[in-house]
Amino acid sequence: MKQLTVRGLGDDLTRAIRRLANRDGTSLNRAAVKLLRRGAGLEGGRRANTVGSSLDRFIGSWSDTEAGEIERALKHFETIDEAMWD
């Protein structure tokens, strides 16, 4: 298992780690690792559905034809309605 020294946590994050450790009856290290894994979207050893990753399975999966269809369908979103900015 790798080790890492983290500096500059700040009082608020240190308190959050301590609260989690006390709540779970675990060490500060385990609580910090749990929060790091949660923040990285790695709950339970697998990638969780985090903001920005829910569509990752589609990356590279569309054919050129499908990609063109999607681009055409979304084209109208590129138009700026100037009246909304007055």
Side-chain angles (χ1 to χ4, degrees):
M1 188 106 331
K2 303 254 181 199
Q3 292 186 12
L4 174 70
T5 300
V6 180
R7 293 180 178 84
L9 296 177
D11 293 340
D12 55 343
L13 183 54
T14 301
R15 281 191 297 274
I17 293 169
R18 286 188 188 283
R19 276 194 308 271
L20 180 61
N22 288 334
R23 188 192 77 200
D24 290 355
T26 187
S27 69
L28 291 174
N29 185 75
R30 285 185 189 255
V33 169
K34 184 174 185 175
L35 289 175
L36 285 167
R37 292 185 66 77
R38 185 182 302 161
L42 299 171
E43 291 287 319
R46 62 177 176 75
R47 186 154 178 86
N49 283 338
T50 58
V51 174
S53 68
S54 62
L55 300 176
D56 284 356
R57 66 182 178 276
F58 295 113
I59 295 173
S61 67
W62 295 331
S63 68
D64 289 341
T65 302
E66 291 170 319
E69 290 173 8
I70 291 167
E71 286 179 13
R72 283 188 295 281
L74 297 176
K75 190 72 174 167
H76 73 278
F77 289 111
E78 295 177 11
T79 304
I80 297 173
D81 184 349
E82 298 293 336
M84 293 184 73
W85 294 97
D86 287 336

